Amino acid sequence: IVMLFFSRRAIKEEAIQKASQTLEGTIQHIDNILLSVEQTAGNFYFSMMPHMDNPDMMVTFARQLVDSSPYVTGCAIAFRDDYYKDRKYFMAYVHQLPEGGIEEEALQDGEYKEQPWFAKPMSGGEPGWQSPMTGDEPDEVPVITFCMPFPYEEGRPYAIMGLGVSISQLSYIISLAKPSPNSFCMLLDEDGSLIVHPDS
């Protein structure tokens, strides 16, 4: 009985330690991806500053950003009303297509103003990550978005840059984290909502 007790305790402690190490490694891997995206946004921001008066260059920068980062699946650079005198609304949008390839758009319909990735940082002015969003099309992959406001002008940001990271990338990383054969991991946002779960 004594041998059984101590053997069971040793096995349990070893299993807990292994699970903790696995989860810590997974968290570090995801943190590295998210930090890489944040740094990419900051680097491109400084490159873009001399060209902010040229809307065509915004599409070029968005394309370069998606091409240069292995984790970014889409980039939107959206401006407040009347930032450009010849157009009321403007957003440069570049994203990877599910079937492969990249699509570029310069949108002027203003619908982006209602989307959380634009509205929340535009009112709060703080960079940060937004919960997963799905596209309007059923075949679009859900993404989490890093939103970076451009510096204040007259007390508020004049543009927001949003970088999308595919949930499927994070799902793959998390699916590899198996401390034991019958275990699974989940990823939750700050509100406790599920972002990644074994049952997609």
Side-chain angles (χ1 to χ4, degrees), residues 32-46:
N32 288 342
I33 290 173
L34 301 184
L35 182 59
S36 168
V37 172
E38 293 176 20
Q39 290 175 335
T40 300
N43 292 341
F44 267 83
Y45 164 73
F46 287 107

Side-chain angles (χ1 to χ4, degrees), residues 47 56 58 68 76 82 124 130 165 185:
S47 300
D56 295 333
M58 297 302 105
S68 67
D82 301 315
Q130 294 280 328
V165 175
C185 297

Side-chain angles (χ1 to χ4, degrees), residues 103-146:
E103 183 177 32
E104 301 178 2
E105 298 177 272
L107 306 174
Q108 299 183 46
D109 55 18
E111 291 181 8
Y112 61 84
K113 290 179 58 183
E114 308 303 322
Q115 296 177 0
W117 69 267
F118 180 84
K120 188 174 178 181
M122 183 59 82
S123 61
E126 294 292 327
W129 289 90
Q130 294 280 328
S131 295
M133 300 184 306
T134 55
D136 296 330
E137 302 298 325
D139 61 342
E140 286 190 16
V141 178
V143 297
I144 58 170
T145 308
F146 177 68

Side-chain angles (χ1 to χ4, degrees), residues 66-83:
V66 172
D67 285 341
S68 67
S69 174
Y71 307 119
V72 175
T73 58
C75 174
I77 306 169
F79 292 81
R80 65 169 172 77
D81 298 2
D82 301 315
Y83 180 80

Side-chain angles (χ1 to χ4, degrees), residues 167 171 174 184-187 194-200:
I167 293 295
S171 297
I174 289 174
F184 61 87
C185 297
M186 298 177 292
L187 181 66
L194 287 168
I195 297 176
V196 175
H197 186 274
D199 183 357
S200 60

